[in-house]
Amino acid sequence: MAATIDSLLEEISAVEDPIEELQGLRTALLSLPVSALRDAVSGTRLDVIFSLLNSNHREQVELCVDILERVLMALSPEHLAQNYRVELQAGLNHPDEKVKILALAQIGRMMEHPDAVTKILNNHDILRALIHCIRDEKLAVAKQAIQSLTKLSHSKSGLDKLFHSELLNVMKEVMATSDIVRYRLYELVVEIASVSPISLGYCASSSLVSQLLSELTGDDVLIRATAIEMVTSLAHSQHGRRYLTQQGIMDKISNMIRGAETDPFSSLYLPGLVKFFGNLAITDSPQQVCETYPAFQNKVFEMALDPDPAMIGVALDTLGLLGATVEGKQVLQKTGEKFRTVLLRMSQLASSGATELRVRSLDAISQLLTLQPEQQTEDLLALTESWFHLLSKQPIDMIRSISTQPFPELHCGALGIFTAIATQPWGQKLMISTPGFMEFILDRSTGQTKEAKDAKFELVGSLLSLSTAAEILGSQHYIRLKTYLREGPYYVSAVASVSTEGAD
């Protein structure tokens, strides 16, 4: 096969318009498995394909990219570093985004190889070109450049090169291009800082992190909103959270939430502030976060009652996140009437809000009501039961009526709530005592989408997971549910066909 590829390359170099020959080569390469391809091309030079990238003929360039993508992925990063470094560097400055992305992806592979990365680190021009790609007009190019450069953070030599050399000035120059590009560089810095405490130390010493943090309180509210997103990403790692606490950022964001009441533009950045603390509560401790920063919890409740759909949506998602944990449930329960008011609002939204808010309400209620088997203490079961009955005078009927509406996402959201209470004894008792409910569950004619069938199957599985299910549900229902589970989610019962030949 190697001879065939070599002969095809010779044919390509011999013709003026090589489209047909390039198509033939691409077909030949795609027909080979990667293992065979590696042996077939390891001794082959691809100079002719790289040279054909220098063309205004779009189809020719795209064929060359397809060919190179296939071949280069079969070659080791070390082989690429030894044989195609110059060509890939040229690709970083190519006008076509597909060529740039190809070059960036292959250089990224070299970054992960201990021997190949040395050749990249010793090539200042490649690293400079990589950083310049972050300011490319095409976001896909910038994202690939960020991804490739992030890999430098996995070694001390890579971090030294990026932050203790002239490349730091290159990054700062690129940052000055525009607000959009500046935030792309911040994205790179946050990605690197999140890898380890050591990489965060490099980023902090470069002053780029403190520059990002100062943007939190800038005059431009849109820039402030973007800065909050970046800082939230940094808070995903434990060492990132520790650093932000040391810098007083948690208190600063809490004060920003308080000050938002008097800012007419706060709706642009307030959701980001709330998401920040919501993520913090999940990674650390809901109780600690809510007690230390009460402005956060109060604002979530306010937003849930707000008429602005953007505010309501973020509040619903945050309440779902908090209520997904036992500690979060207990924190919400402690607020008493405040939370009961919010829960009633969630129920109203689930029944009659805009479709997107209905789905988010159903998902949040499902998370609030979910208890894992090991969490089912007497107190917590009493808590989830009381919350369920706060939703409506007839909560089972309310949720069931939502599930029968002709919107798959609402159908699945409603079944999600039933699945949440199906593993709890009070939930099963309520279901079995509701006339027609078990027939509703066992009816395969409702919800014909794959998602709906999967959701119903999960509900049946949850009902059967309780050790006392047979006792609570009764043997007849228990056997029918077992049959449903055995038949699988997509079972269709055979119906005898009746001949109507000759009928009018």
Side-chain angles (χ1 to χ4, degrees), residues 341-417:
T341 303
V342 166
L343 194 56
L344 186 59
R345 170 71 165 149
M346 292 168 78
S347 172
Q348 291 164 349
L349 286 166
S351 297
S352 57
T355 302
E356 187 197 347
L357 289 180
R358 295 182 75 181
V359 173
R360 289 165 90 170
S361 293
L362 291 167
D363 287 347
I365 292 168
S366 171
Q367 288 177 289
L368 288 165
L369 295 174
T370 297
L371 282 177
Q372 301 304 322
E374 68 276 6
Q375 298 168 344
Q376 293 186 15
T377 63
E378 193 176 324
D379 287 349
L380 285 169
L381 286 167
L383 180 149
T384 53
E385 185 177 7
S386 69
W387 284 359
F388 187 71
H389 285 288
L390 283 171
L391 296 174
S392 162
K393 287 181 181 176
Q394 299 291 336
I396 287 270
D397 290 338
M398 181 199 95
I399 304 299
R400 183 165 52 175
S401 73
I402 294 171
S403 78
T404 58
Q405 292 174 20
F407 299 100
E409 60 268 47
L410 291 178
H411 179 79
C412 293
L415 290 181
I417 292 178

Side-chain angles (χ1 to χ4, degrees), residues 189-201 203 233-247 250 284:
V189 169
V190 169
E191 288 277 351
I192 291 173
S194 300
V195 171
S196 69
I198 292 170
S199 59
L200 172 57
C203 295
S233 296
L234 185 56
H236 286 157
S237 64
Q238 189 176 3
H239 61 273
R241 292 193 296 279
R242 195 182 308 120
Y243 175 80
L244 292 172
T245 304
Q246 290 166 353
Q247 299 301 309
M250 313 304 192
D284 277 359

Side-chain angles (χ1 to χ4, degrees), residues 106-348:
Q106 296 307 321
I107 290 169
R109 287 180 64 215
M110 292 184 228
M111 298 281 204
E112 294 176 304
H113 191 280
D115 295 324
V117 72
T118 306
K119 292 184 169 61
I120 300 295
L121 290 175
N122 291 334
N123 192 318
H124 183 83
D125 291 336
I126 285 185
L127 293 170
R128 174 189 279 272
L130 273 174
I131 295 168
H132 281 165
C133 281
I134 294 176
R135 66 180 177 197
D136 195 271
E137 285 180 15
K138 304 289 185 181
L139 179 60
V141 173
K143 288 281 186 188
Q144 188 67 59
I146 290 167
Q147 196 177 324
S148 296
L149 281 163
T150 301
K151 292 169 182 173
L152 286 176
S153 62
H154 295 281
S155 69
K156 184 180 183 302
S157 53
L159 289 165
D160 283 335
K161 194 72 179 177
L162 207 50
F163 293 103
H164 292 168
S165 76
E166 192 207 329
L167 290 177
L168 180 58
N169 293 328
V170 175
M171 284 199 284
K172 290 179 178 178
E173 285 166 19
V174 170
M175 285 182 96
T177 306
S178 67
D179 288 344
I180 290 171
V181 174
R182 184 163 83 258
Y183 274 90
R184 289 178 186 174
L185 256 299
Y186 284 145
E187 186 181 336
L188 170 64
V189 169
V190 169
E191 288 277 351
I192 291 173
S194 300
V195 171
S196 69
I198 292 170
S199 59
L200 172 57
Y202 274 87
C203 295
S205 67
S206 72
S207 79
L208 294 176
V209 178
S210 56
Q211 188 178 326
L212 166 61
L213 298 180
S214 69
E215 306 236 25
L216 279 173
T217 50
D219 294 331
D220 188 320
V221 290
L222 292 175
I223 286 178
R224 201 183 301 175
T226 312
I228 290 159
E229 281 185 37
M230 296 290 171
V231 173
T232 301
S233 296
L234 185 56
H236 286 157
S237 64
Q238 189 176 3
H239 61 273
R241 292 193 296 279
R242 195 182 308 120
Y243 175 80
L244 292 172
T245 304
Q246 290 166 353
Q247 299 301 309
I249 297 305
M250 313 304 192
D251 293 326
K252 184 178 283 189
I253 292 177
S254 179
N255 291 334
M256 286 170 73
I257 289 177
R258 287 197 191 91
E261 291 174 16
T262 56
D263 184 351
F265 300 107
S266 64
S267 63
L268 294 169
Y269 61 84
L270 192 54
L273 300 177
V274 169
K275 283 180 187 175
F276 173 83
F277 276 119
N279 282 299
L280 198 65
I282 298 311
T283 48
D284 277 359
S285 152
Q287 183 177 342
Q288 186 180 336
V289 169
C290 290
E291 287 179 358
T292 310
Y293 309 103
F296 156 65
Q297 185 176 285
N298 293 336
K299 185 56 69 177
V300 173
F301 287 171
E302 276 179 41
M303 287 166 70
L305 304 173
D306 197 290
D308 182 350
M311 294 294 175
I312 298 168
V314 172
L316 291 171
D317 296 346
T318 307
L319 287 162
L321 275 174
L322 285 173
T325 64
V326 166
E327 191 178 306
K329 285 177 171 61
Q330 293 166 333
V331 166
L332 293 171
Q333 178 74 345
K334 279 181 191 173
T335 64
E337 195 57 41
K338 282 185 182 178
F339 179 65
R340 283 193 282 275
T341 303
V342 166
L343 194 56
L344 186 59
R345 170 71 165 149
M346 292 168 78
S347 172
Q348 291 164 349

Side-chain angles (χ1 to χ4, degrees), residues 411 440-448 453 456 484 491:
H411 179 79
F440 158 74
I441 289 179
L442 291 161
D443 182 2
R444 287 187 181 270
S445 68
T446 61
Q448 291 304 300
K453 290 175 186 290
K456 178 73 77 73
Y484 191 114
Y491 176 79

